Amino acid sequence: MDDDAALGQIETEVALLMRLGEATRRATPVAAHRSLDRAAYVILRHLQDAGPQNVSALAARLNLDGSTVTRQVSAMQRDGLVTREPDPHDGRGAVIRATRAGLNRVDAVRAARTALYGEILADWSPGDRRALAMLMRRLNESLDAHTRRTR
């Protein structure tokens, strides 16, 4: 396969991955898979890894508009998943912190998704799983870098 054909196949496979990932989430009977929408999951995972953040930092890290993150955070706050606290470095601002309920929910979703991918990839060798994990991370890093360059 030449490079142009490979790039064309990558484009198609990424499009299918996004569609099938969402379809799999919706079709899976485990309630945890549907207990957080994609936006809330990504925000909570980032807060879990990086700690409390202001909306600007969240927006920059997630490549989103600040107003989009503000709306998502407001909905998450209503659901008890995050809190807003005064920013100790900027008295006018606020930092977003995941609540214990939010962290519990994201842990449940992550565990359910990990188990699901364990089932889906059961016939893959451990080496193939590790290779996929590494290549997906590289793809996401490249997509993130591209997005940051073009903003």
Side-chain angles (χ1 to χ4, degrees), residues 92-112:
R92 300 167 296 162
V95 292
I96 310 306
R97 178 184 303 275
T99 63
R100 175 54 37 210
L103 292 173
N104 288 343
R105 180 106 48 101
V106 79
D107 284 345
V109 171
R110 187 173 190 199

Side-chain angles (χ1 to χ4, degrees), residues 79-100:
D79 292 340
L81 303 174
V82 298
T83 61
R84 291 178 196 261
E85 301 172 359
D87 187 335
H89 305 293
D90 178 2
R92 300 167 296 162
V95 292
I96 310 306
R97 178 184 303 275
T99 63
R100 175 54 37 210

Side-chain angles (χ1 to χ4, degrees), residues 46 53-66 69 144 147-148 151:
H46 179 67
Q53 305 272 302
N54 64 34
V55 169
S56 297
L58 277 171
R61 176 61 191 100
L62 301 174
N63 292 305
L64 295 169
D65 182 76
V69 173
D144 187 51
T147 300
R148 290 181 190 290
R151 281 190 129 190

